[in-house]
Amino acid sequence: MRLPDVLFDWLHTATSQMRWKRAQPVAEKELRAHIEDQYEAFMDEGMDQAAAAKATAREMGDPVETGTRLDRVWRPRPDWLMLGMVLVIAAAGLILQYRFRWSNDVEWYMLLGKYVSGVACLLIAYFADYTLLGRHIVPLLGVWFAGWLALHWPLRNGMPNGISGIMGWMWLFPVVFAGLIYRLRGKGTEGLGICLTAVFGMALCGYGTFRTGAEAAMMAVCGIQLVVAVRSGLFGKRRKWWYLLAALPLAQQLYFCIHIGWFVSRWPDDPIWSDYTDKLVRAALYGADGGAFTSTLVYDRATDYLLVSAKVEWGWTAFILILGVLAALLLRGWWMLRSQSGVLVRLVSAAVLLTLFAQMITYTTQNLGIAIAANHGLPLLSYGGTYLCQTMFLLGVLLSAQRTGGLEPGTAPVKEADINA
Amino acid sequence: MNIDKSLLAGNTALLVLRLLREDDLYGYQMIERLREKSDDTFSLKAGTLYPLLHTLETQGLVQSYEQAADGGRIRKYYHLTDAGRARLAEKTEEWRAFSGAVDRVLGGGESHAFA
């Protein structure tokens, strides 16, 4: 409907009072709908267009006053507590890495440089528009795959940091996957099938690259995302057999755990096999001897086995305290997610939290001497460089979604009966 | 009768929450329904309503969603959350206590004022 000039001017005057530019189109859309309804009501009463337009403008009130009031309530909502927690925990992680560093060549300013890089990645994601994940998912998937290809080459050619670079990139997939689920909402079995294809495609990328538990953990994360999406009716009225499809990635993770458990239990007691490392870890944790762990795994104390190092140095309290701090961060993130009503913001936030939770679990099991290779760090704490940048980027996405998620309309409340087929 | 706006200002949220208890509504519907239920006593302006709705939403008392209205146009509906229902009950109780006290003072005031 084309509005008369007087009403168009009213709308423009009102919304131009709002300083947050991203909120202007949201407020304008709602006000415009109201103006159209009021204008049509006056026309239905018998007024001509000019009279109806003037009456509508009068009924709407003063546009400057309206816009000023809207400006006061439409503001970004940064979560300063979460931001502070992230920065403090990351700083604590670098202090721990310096404490357990394997060489005196690892200087404090090198670690500070990594921290600054991580903060830069966080800020880039924080000020970016998370809704890009919903609006441009196809090119973003292409970028993700192109990135994997580009990073795959250094890894295959034995270049330094090859594994950490590609691992960090792979762990961005669940967030991109959230955008894919959002894009395919309402598409039924076809949508679910495309999502599953993407997940198994990612698993092939991972399996072809490093064959560890990492891609299985990622599949578990994606599986949970799919099951929750089916449960919420995102793909449409749910069918019971959709749960079986959505749970396939989870089944793969379970198979992997059983397979590794059976396979590794038969490895010989040989330093070459990782089970030997797990035996060292268990001796350090549950036995009296942390010396063998400290002298043998000197390169990995600050990175792959930070929790064990903390236990050997300070006892179980330190082990639990470190995990407790991370758990508090994830709980805060969960609280942020619950306060949002938009579909995309909830999907993206859940993807970030599930990713960090999965990393925390697999890292902890590795540090408890259970034979599941993590090949990634403990979020924010155990690695600097590429891995810290990846984690900070993800947290930046979470904070960005929280800051601007109010712009996204929520979903209509549904009853269970309405979404069951 | 013209009502002093300040009497309405502090209770607009209560009225909006009460409207939403019955049904999910969009902004124009709320203004029309409020006018109808109050016999044209309350005529809320859009400039008052929409900032209030956004505030209530950030407080978690209402939740918005977009849906096609009658005629097929997309409108932004508002739904009362559980927290909103609890706040409505609390504010209703508060209003009843306040208005009851005012009624008692006004009702028994004249015979005692110049005693």
Side-chain angles (χ1 to χ4, degrees):
Chain A
M1 179 189 198
R2 196 187 178 289
L3 289 178
D5 288 344
V6 65
L7 294 177
F8 179 82
D9 290 342
W10 189 100
L11 198 53
H12 177 74
T13 304
T15 53
S16 62
Q17 308 303 314
M18 298 169 68
R19 284 171 288 176
W20 190 20
K21 299 281 182 255
R22 285 184 61 189
Q24 284 180 359
V26 177
E28 183 187 321
K29 188 177 175 185
E30 192 170 23
L31 287 172
R32 188 189 174 100
H34 189 112
I35 286 171
E36 286 174 359
D37 289 339
Q38 184 67 77
Y39 179 63
E40 281 189 0
F42 283 133
M43 297 273 282
D44 289 344
E45 285 175 13
M47 289 187 192
D48 63 33
Q49 286 184 2
K54 278 189 185 166
T56 300
R58 202 167 43 243
E59 194 63 30
M60 290 299 288
D62 180 66
V64 172
E65 199 179 311
T66 300
T68 305
R69 285 182 181 161
L70 287 170
D71 174 67
R72 272 191 229 124
V73 297
W74 277 104
R75 294 288 172 85
R77 291 191 288 153
D79 193 306
W80 296 114
L81 176 60
M82 183 70 166
L83 183 60
M85 286 170 77
V86 169
L87 295 175
V88 166
I89 293 172
L94 289 173
I95 292 170
L96 284 173
Q97 287 175 54
Y98 186 72
R99 173 68 182 81
F100 294 124
R101 68 197 184 285
W102 59 272
S103 161
N104 286 333
D105 290 340
V106 178
E107 297 291 347
W108 64 268
Y109 55 81
M110 294 161 80
L111 293 173
L112 183 63
K114 293 179 180 182
Y115 181 81
V116 170
S117 304
V119 171
C121 289
L122 181 143
L123 291 175
I124 288 169
Y126 185 68
F127 289 110
D129 182 1
Y130 81 94
T131 62
L132 288 171
L133 284 163
R135 291 183 284 122
H136 301 289
I137 187 57
V138 173
L140 283 173
L141 271 171
V143 164
W144 182 86
F145 185 66
W148 174 79
L149 275 176
L151 290 166
H152 189 78
W153 185 84
L155 180 69
R156 283 293 178 216
N157 286 279
M159 288 187 175
N161 298 324
I163 190 73
S164 61
I166 201 166
M167 282 299 306
W169 191 258
M170 291 290 294
W171 275 111
L172 294 177
F173 182 80
V175 168
V176 177
F177 188 58
L180 184 64
I181 293 176
Y182 178 78
R183 179 64 174 269
L184 294 171
R185 68 196 190 287
K187 301 290 186 193
T189 309
E190 181 193 345
L192 184 54
I194 294 172
C195 287
L196 276 171
T197 306
V199 172
F200 282 102
M202 176 278 295
L204 279 174
C205 291
Y207 186 73
T209 301
F210 36 72
R211 298 190 183 185
T212 66
E215 76 278 9
M218 280 180 229
M219 287 194 77
V221 168
C222 295
I224 293 171
Q225 287 176 278
L226 278 177
V227 168
V228 171
V230 167
R231 176 88 177 81
S232 308
L234 276 184
F235 290 109
K237 287 198 171 185
R238 58 191 184 208
R239 291 161 175 73
K240 288 201 170 111
W241 56 274
W242 280 1
Y243 285 107
L244 292 175
L245 282 184
L248 280 175
L250 286 166
Q252 200 276 346
Q253 162 73 355
L254 184 62
Y255 163 76
F256 177 84
C257 291
I258 294 170
H259 170 76
I260 284 292
W262 177 89
F263 186 66
V264 172
S265 68
R266 283 152 177 77
W267 279 351
D269 192 2
D270 185 312
I272 295 173
W273 299 97
S274 71
D275 187 52
Y276 178 74
T277 306
D278 298 327
K279 285 188 166 68
L280 278 182
V281 165
R282 286 194 286 271
L285 287 176
Y286 311 119
D289 181 19
F293 166 80
T294 306
S295 59
T296 307
L297 296 177
V298 64
Y299 301 110
D300 303 321
R301 284 198 311 148
T303 52
D304 292 336
Y305 294 100
L306 185 77
L307 291 173
V308 180
S309 303
K311 188 273 170 186
V312 167
E313 190 77 15
W314 299 306
W316 278 109
T317 306
F319 190 109
I320 293 166
L321 187 66
I322 290 171
L323 289 177
V325 163
L326 278 182
L329 183 79
L330 292 179
L331 277 172
R332 178 71 190 174
W334 175 252
W335 181 88
M336 286 161 58
L337 184 158
R338 295 282 295 170
S339 70
Q340 297 288 348
S341 57
V343 174
L344 181 61
V345 62
R346 287 173 74 101
L347 283 171
V348 167
S349 301
V352 172
L353 293 171
L354 282 171
T355 298
L356 297 178
F357 181 69
Q359 290 176 350
M360 187 173 144
I361 292 293
T362 51
Y363 188 90
T364 303
T365 53
Q366 178 180 275
N367 276 244
L368 287 173
I370 300 168
I372 297 176
N375 261 331
H376 58 72
L378 190 63
L380 294 178
L381 290 171
S382 75
Y383 264 96
T386 316
Y387 183 66
L388 181 62
C389 287
Q390 171 249 301
T391 310
M392 294 284 248
F393 185 83
L394 286 175
L395 286 163
V397 170
L398 176 69
L399 286 162
S400 171
Q402 166 65 18
R403 191 173 76 97
T404 60
L407 294 175
E408 195 185 330
T411 47
V414 291
K415 294 179 189 146
E416 285 291 308
D418 291 342
I419 52 173
N420 280 327
Chain B
M1 179 185 188
N2 282 332
I3 304 290
D4 187 342
K5 283 183 186 172
S6 65
L7 288 175
L8 179 61
N11 295 292
T12 314
L14 170 63
L15 296 174
V16 167
L17 292 176
R18 180 62 180 83
L19 288 176
L20 292 176
R21 196 185 78 172
E22 293 170 11
D23 212 353
D24 292 359
L25 301 168
Y26 54 88
Y28 180 75
Q29 278 182 323
M30 284 183 221
I31 289 177
E32 289 301 300
R33 198 165 290 190
L34 189 62
R35 186 177 288 142
E36 183 188 314
K37 280 181 170 280
S38 66
D39 291 329
D40 289 333
T41 306
F42 299 140
S43 179
L44 203 53
K45 293 281 185 246
T48 304
L49 177 65
Y50 289 106
L52 173 64
L53 286 172
H54 186 67
T55 302
L56 293 175
E57 190 169 18
T58 58
Q59 292 172 349
L61 303 179
V62 302
Q63 184 183 317
S64 69
Y65 59 94
E66 288 184 342
Q67 187 171 281
D70 296 339
R73 285 196 191 143
I74 300 296
R75 292 290 178 263
K76 192 173 186 180
Y77 282 79
Y78 290 86
H79 169 79
L80 192 65
T81 62
D82 291 341
R85 280 179 203 281
R87 180 68 64 87
L88 172 60
E90 182 192 314
K91 287 293 178 189
T92 304
E93 196 53 43
E94 200 177 291
W95 171 257
R96 287 195 174 127
F98 174 76
S99 62
V102 170
D103 284 341
R104 284 194 296 278
V105 169
L106 292 178
E110 281 187 11
S111 59
H112 296 283
F114 301 107

